Amino acid sequence: MRRPDLKGKYEGLSVEQIAQRENKHVVDAMLDLSVADDLHTEWAGPVSNGNIAGYRDLMNSPYT
């Protein structure tokens, strides 16, 4: 987030926590916050495919 007022209010919270605070659906909270921040908000999620061996194989492949 670039806006200091939004950053101070929401930074470190999950989208679910923001939605609960704002009494909104998670998607609405995410979109509303993104628009309020002039689309400068960056969202991060958990890594669901964290297989290090798989990354090693991919990076060592002659096809990548």
Side-chain angles (χ1 to χ4, degrees):
M1 284 176 259
R2 291 191 182 173
R3 283 184 41 189
D5 58 323
L6 297 175
K7 193 171 191 169
K9 187 175 180 181
Y10 297 117
E11 189 171 53
L13 297 176
S14 69
V15 180
E16 184 177 11
Q17 290 170 320
I18 294 169
Q20 288 173 348
R21 285 185 176 192
E22 301 292 325
N23 197 29
K24 298 178 180 179
H25 187 274
V26 176
V27 174
D28 290 326
M30 185 176 194
L31 294 175
D32 288 349
L33 186 54
S34 295
V35 170
D37 196 34
D38 297 321
L39 303 179
H40 293 292
T41 305
E42 296 179 11
W43 300 96
V47 176
S48 60
N49 187 11
N51 180 347
I52 300 300
Y55 291 145
R56 187 180 313 111
D57 293 342
L58 179 65
M59 298 306 288
N60 290 327
S61 171
Y63 302 107
T64 56

